[in-house]
Amino acid sequence: MNIEQMTTKGAVTKADLGRSRKVLDGEDGAIIRLQHFEQGEVTCSALFLVPAEGDQVEFICAGRAGNWMREAANEFVAAKQRMAEDGMVSDGGVICSEGVFQAAVDAGFNLVATPMGMMDLVREEESFNLTISCEAWGGEGGSCPAQDDASWMVARVETLDLAEVGFLHILEQMPLDRAVDAAALLKTLTVRDQQIEIEFESVAQMCEVLEVTEAGESLRVEPEPVEDVEPVTMEDHEAAGEDLLELLETGLMEGAEGHEDAGEDLLALLDADLMGEPEPEPEAAPEAEPELEPEFDQQGQAAFRF
């Protein structure tokens, strides 16, 4: 059997399960049987609900074998019991193609069905599940979406003791390969509040809100660390001044005579700086112009010369 036959309603009979084995008991004498099959180079397993009477075998799930299959089977049986109590009958059926299932297996996803005829691709992690769903798998009979159909949506469901307690849902419909990439991005997120419920219109909007790239790299700019610098003290100034004085004195002793006056002036300034800034000298008052004394001519009248 291949996955398309397994997921087509009424296509699997008890005769097709001749090589399967019983793993769980269902309701009203029904049993759950496990069938192995090859998907490419991967050995996968599928579970079917086989009734005590009649030949209506129902597909439950398929993927890499693991404990998740028991949980999927228990949920399927519980949902079927609720349907029976409510008088509901499933008249729908959806199909999973070989290409879609292979892409799911390669990405670590499993295929899970419900008694109402719907399916999801699910990957279970320690405290959350990643889900890739399809509009065509919403319960309408006979739908078989392709990988490149822009009808796949992604969600991350937070779990606590197997119960769903929160979700991050991307409403954008996209091809399956892009949905797998978006699921990988959701896997990298750190969700501290499990009760969170957020819907994003698109992957781009989610990346903008969370400040990440579609590859999961953070866009937040971390401030560069600033090294602590010890304050400069008066002792530091004095030590630096003494070193410079020593260098200048050495230079004056080894240099030409023409530099001696300039060096001695600089030494004096440095000495004054180390001892403290000298008080500014008062500005000299401007020299007063001498008054012109009058000269007298012979008649005794004053005559001024300019």
Side-chain angles (χ1 to χ4, degrees):
M1 285 191 297
N2 60 32
I3 195 67
E4 290 189 24
Q5 179 186 356
M6 293 178 192
T7 55
T8 299
K9 186 175 182 180
V12 179
T13 66
K14 290 181 179 179
D16 296 316
L17 300 178
R19 299 179 62 182
S20 65
R21 62 184 178 87
K22 173 185 172 182
V23 291
L24 290 171
D25 289 320
E27 295 288 335
D28 300 325
I31 59 175
I32 295 174
R33 301 192 71 88
L34 175 70
Q35 176 86 37
H36 297 298
F37 66 101
E38 298 299 321
Q39 182 63 44
E41 298 181 355
V42 180
T43 299
C44 292
S45 302
L47 291 184
F48 298 90
L49 182 63
V50 182
E53 299 179 0
D55 204 33
Q56 189 64 43
V57 177
E58 295 183 74
F59 170 79
I60 298 175
C61 62
R64 297 176 186 265
N67 290 332
W68 69 271
M69 301 188 80
R70 179 181 294 273
E71 297 167 10
N74 289 335
E75 178 58 31
F76 189 95
V77 171
K80 191 170 180 62
Q81 182 65 27
R82 290 193 296 269
M83 286 176 57
E85 293 173 356
D86 295 338
M88 300 173 63
V89 179
S90 173
D91 57 357
V94 292
I95 304 169
C96 181
S97 68
E98 285 283 314
V100 167
F101 186 69
Q102 184 67 61
V105 170
D106 292 343
F109 283 80
N110 301 305
L111 181 64
V112 179
T114 71
M116 289 297 296
M118 296 178 282
M119 291 191 294
D120 286 316
L121 301 176
V122 180
R123 175 170 176 166
E124 293 189 356
E125 301 292 339
E126 184 175 353
S127 61
F128 63 91
N129 295 336
L130 298 173
T131 301
I132 299 177
S133 58
C134 182
E135 190 177 53
W137 281 351
E140 299 296 329
S143 299
C144 183
Q147 292 172 261
D148 56 354
D149 289 347
S151 58
W152 302 92
M153 293 180 293
V154 186
R156 169 177 166 144
V157 181
E158 305 302 315
T159 58
L160 181 63
D161 297 330
L162 304 181
E164 298 181 0
V165 295
F167 68 87
L168 295 172
H169 192 188
I170 303 175
L171 301 178
E172 176 185 359
Q173 297 186 16
M174 61 195 88
L176 182 58
D177 58 349
R178 179 166 165 77
V180 170
D181 290 341
L185 174 59
L186 286 174
K187 181 183 175 182
T188 65
L189 301 181
T190 300
V191 179
R192 294 182 174 85
D193 183 5
Q194 286 186 302
Q195 307 297 322
I196 192 170
E197 295 186 4
I198 299 178
E199 290 186 346
F200 296 103
E201 293 294 330
S202 65
V203 177
Q205 183 196 39
M206 183 183 71
C207 290
E208 181 181 357
V209 172
L210 301 181
E211 296 181 334
V212 295
T213 67
E214 291 195 18
E217 299 171 353
S218 176
L219 294 176
R220 298 180 180 89
V221 178
E222 298 293 337
E224 295 184 0
V226 179
E227 296 183 1
D228 294 333
V229 179
E230 296 182 359
V232 180
T233 63
M234 187 60 188
E235 288 77 9
D236 296 328
H237 283 294
E238 291 177 353
E242 290 172 357
D243 291 342
L244 183 55
L245 283 172
E246 183 178 349
L247 288 173
L248 286 170
E249 288 172 350
T250 303
L252 286 174
M253 293 177 66
E254 297 177 354
E257 294 180 359
H259 294 285
E260 291 182 358
D261 293 340
E264 290 174 354
D265 293 342
L266 181 56
L267 286 172
L269 289 173
L270 287 170
D271 283 333
D273 182 62
L274 289 173
M275 298 299 293
E277 295 185 1
E279 296 182 1
E281 296 181 0
E283 296 182 2
E287 296 182 0
E289 295 183 1
E291 296 182 1
L292 298 176
E293 296 185 4
E295 297 181 0
F296 294 91
D297 57 16
Q298 292 178 356
Q299 282 80 23
Q301 294 180 348
F304 292 91
R305 294 179 181 178
F306 296 94

